[in-house]
Amino acid sequence: MGKYYQEEIETASREEILKIQNEKIVKQVKHVYENVPYYRNLMDEKGVKPEDIKSVDDIKKLPFLSKADLRDAYPYGLLGTDLKNCVRIHSTSGTTGRRVVAFYTQHDVDLWEECCARAIVAAGGTKDDVIQVAYGYGLFTGGFGVHGGSQKVGCLTLPMSSGNTERQIQFMMDLGSTILCCTPSYAAFIGESLAEKGYKPTDNKLKAGIFGAEPWTEEMRREIEKSLGIKAYDIYGLTESSGPGVAYECEEQKGMHINEDHFYAEIIDPDTGETLPEGSKGELVFTSLDKEAFPLLRYRTKDICVLTREKCACGRTHIKMCKPMGRSDDMMIIRGVNVFPSQIETVLIKEGYTPNYLIEVDRVKNTDTLDISVELQPGQFSDKVSDIQAKEKALEGAMRTMLGIGPKIHLVPPKSIARSEGKAVRVIDKRKLHD
Ligand code: ADP
Ligand code: ZN
């Protein structure tokens, strides 16, 4: 296995990939129309018949599916096969409060694990590696997906699950883990804990990390790479389309290759639903080309991003997505200005702070307020109130330049903001409680 897990498909020409996609979509639409009454109704309402879909160009004729549909159809309404053919259920982590359950046949599990295996090989994984899987195992897709991929590559797989940081570090050191997989916020926490124990970044055997399941900035990537002494790769996925591994980074670390033989990606205007040309920023929509049990067509992810088909030096030909810039429902509108948590994270790290912060939005006397608590590192802490105040003012200024509105900054003592072992909670919007 050299540089690729499945070289032929990962480096296939545009024509070859299109041919595969076109063959698969025709079959898949027929499969869904025949087996998923919920989607058949949506197609009928729109006046689209399976025969109308002859290639991926026709995908734009199909109706969208959204999280609301998944909730309406809960639990079995979007099932594409008999339950007795299914071997697994997973569920979303409920970041946005609504849980979704997804079903898998053995074919679907294999396909998913293959996608994760491609990601692991792209991050330099081989049979000689020890992969520490510190994503949660359970209903969350992170642990099981990467675990399956790791075994497919033939890596020695350490199913740690998330949490118990002491034990993570002990096993990492004693068993010589070479690749760490977890959320970026947990990777940052592990890096911090290692330093506290007196380990230098060169003391561990790690060479790479595969981090995803939540948004993280380039600045955060550099922090993690420095603290663990590794190269950090991004991986993207969602329960609705299987789990992690829908897209993954190669050694170029410039966007994630989407596994196009299994997932067809589009960017749409979130307001009008219109498909946008390549290179435009908009909402990412996925069509699963060959999943059997949970074959979602045109699923709206709410993730805002850009697709590009620029040639990649790694030799892979699959289209790339940029780091998602946050979900459309992560975007905060504060005093009429659009603010993404990622912008705040970028400023913090640039200004020399750690990515331990909490954003609180509220509405006081009809005016939106934005408060950001930011943790100081032991070396930054000072007993002099005037020192702290000066630092707060400076950070407020830097935030105003980036965001266009000024937040109130609260510098808080080291270790006073809770660390995350899974997906970090960065925003508390209290306005939603009043509404
Ligand atoms: P939930 O929607 O409850 O969080 P999932 O665990 O299925 O459920 O999460 C999928 C979502 O996680 C994606 O839609 C995306 O918003 C986010 N996500 C996953 N991987 C990444 C990544 N590498 N970068 C940014 N966001 C990501
Ligand atoms: Zn590449």
Side-chain angles (χ1 to χ4, degrees):
M1 190 181 306
K3 205 177 150 193
Y4 311 101
Y5 181 65
Q6 289 163 316
E7 179 163 1
E8 206 177 313
I9 184 69
E10 290 173 53
T11 61
S13 70
R14 183 77 200 109
E15 295 68 41
E16 286 167 321
I17 291 173
L18 261 178
K19 186 165 172 276
I20 294 171
Q21 289 184 325
N22 289 340
E23 281 168 10
K24 284 187 178 179
I25 191 65
V26 172
K27 270 207 221 146
Q28 184 72 324
V29 171
K30 197 164 170 283
H31 166 67
V32 172
Y33 194 81
E34 284 167 7
N35 294 289
V36 185
Y38 188 96
Y39 199 77
R40 178 164 64 233
N41 288 340
L42 293 180
M43 282 177 64
D44 287 346
E45 272 169 29
K46 223 174 170 234
V48 193
K49 290 272 164 269
E51 308 77 75
D52 298 332
I53 311 301
K54 299 193 176 67
S55 74
V56 285
D57 276 344
D58 296 324
I59 283 184
K60 48 180 170 311
K61 297 180 185 162
L62 292 168
F64 290 116
L65 279 173
S66 67
K67 251 205 174 135
D69 291 303
L70 268 59
R71 217 173 37 228
D72 284 355
Y74 174 93
Y76 300 121
L78 287 160
L79 193 60
T81 185
D82 219 65
L83 208 49
K84 69 171 186 289
N85 299 323
C86 297
V87 298
R88 187 91 71 78
I89 292 179
H90 280 285
S91 172
T92 59
S93 38
T95 310
T96 47
R98 313 158 210 135
R99 286 194 183 270
V100 163
V101 287
F103 302 86
Y104 305 70
T105 62
Q106 187 57 49
H107 161 272
D108 298 338
V109 171
D110 286 338
L111 171 168
W112 173 28
E113 293 182 351
E114 251 168 46
C115 289
C116 289
R118 289 181 194 172
I120 290 168
V121 173
T126 69
K127 278 163 65 71
D128 297 325
D129 282 294
V130 181
I131 299 208
Q132 180 159 348
V133 185
Y135 282 112
Y137 281 66
L139 283 171
F140 176 52
T141 53
F144 279 100
V146 174
H147 179 106
S150 171
Q151 290 197 178
K152 278 215 186 318
V153 177
C155 306
L156 182 55
T157 310
L158 203 59
M160 296 297 297
S161 195
S162 61
N164 203 337
T165 309
E166 288 285 315
R167 194 176 57 190
Q168 300 277 357
I169 289 178
Q170 189 197 336
F171 276 19
M172 176 184 288
M173 291 303 177
D174 294 352
L175 303 177
S177 306
T178 56
I179 300 181
L180 175 66
C181 303
C182 58
T183 57
S185 52
Y186 195 39
F189 181 30
I190 292 177
E192 183 184 12
S193 307
L194 279 168
E196 270 168 17
K197 291 189 180 301
Y199 289 115
K200 292 191 294 297
T202 45
D203 290 340
N204 64 63
K205 288 221 169 74
L206 292 175
K207 62 176 187 188
I210 305 176
F211 307 127
E214 64 182 2
W216 52 312
T217 56
E218 285 300 331
E219 289 78 13
M220 177 120 164
R221 185 208 306 265
R222 284 192 284 277
E223 284 291 307
I224 295 173
E225 291 190 326
K226 211 163 56 188
S227 76
L228 292 171
I230 59 169
K231 198 161 164 172
Y233 295 80
D234 203 353
I235 186 166
Y236 169 91
L238 59 166
T239 313
E240 293 87 333
S241 45
S242 60
V246 169
Y248 60 92
E249 255 179 0
C250 60
E251 73 262 19
E252 298 301 310
Q253 293 177 301
K254 275 194 213 118
M256 296 178 268
H257 290 286
I258 296 174
N259 282 308
E260 276 192 285
D261 50 331
H262 299 303
F263 303 101
Y264 181 82
E266 294 170 87
I267 292 287
I268 62 158
D269 178 326
D271 298 323
T272 64
E274 183 199 346
T275 307
L276 299 177
E278 194 199 306
S280 318
K281 181 168 146 187
E283 179 177 348
L284 187 58
V285 172
F286 279 116
T287 292
S288 145
L289 293 171
D290 47 10
K291 269 169 51 188
E292 295 173 341
F294 206 58
L296 303 189
L297 305 182
R298 291 200 102 195
Y299 179 66
R300 293 183 61 158
T301 64
K302 293 202 164 177
D303 291 320
I304 303 296
C305 101
V306 177
L307 299 178
T308 64
R309 210 174 267 291
E310 267 167 42
K311 198 166 185 288
C312 186
C314 77
R316 288 178 185 79
T317 47
H318 293 203
I319 197 165
K320 279 188 185 178
M321 60 183 271
C322 72
K323 261 187 179 308
M325 298 155 186
R327 301 189 196 201
S328 50
D329 50 9
D330 270 352
M331 190 184 76
M332 304 173 280
I333 304 180
I334 302 172
R335 282 173 246 149
V337 178
N338 298 348
V339 177
F340 279 100
S342 59
Q343 296 173 298
I344 292 174
E345 185 175 297
T346 296
V347 175
L348 285 181
I349 299 180
K350 269 197 188 136
E351 297 295 316
Y353 295 91
T354 58
N356 297 306
Y357 59 96
L358 185 68
I359 302 165
E360 286 172 272
V361 187
D362 203 349
R363 185 170 293 136
V364 180
K365 291 192 195 131
N366 293 320
T367 304
D368 295 331
T369 58
L370 170 61
D371 286 73
I372 310 172
S373 301
V374 181
E375 209 179 271
L376 288 164
Q377 283 171 282
Q380 295 172 317
F381 198 59
S382 162
D383 286 338
K384 269 176 75 187
V385 177
S386 56
D387 283 356
I388 299 283
Q389 282 172 342
K391 283 197 169 113
E392 287 175 340
K393 280 277 158 300
L395 193 49
E396 282 169 6
M399 288 287 174
R400 187 173 296 113
T401 308
M402 172 67 129
L403 308 176
I405 54 159
K408 178 95 191 77
I409 299 284
H410 309 271
L411 293 177
V412 299
K415 291 271 156 176
S416 53
I417 293 177
R419 299 294 187 268
S420 156
E421 296 168 347
K423 297 195 188 213
V425 178
R426 308 280 200 197
V427 183
I428 300 177
D429 194 338
K430 294 183 186 151
R431 296 176 301 184
K432 290 184 182 149
L433 300 175
H434 312 320
D435 287 347

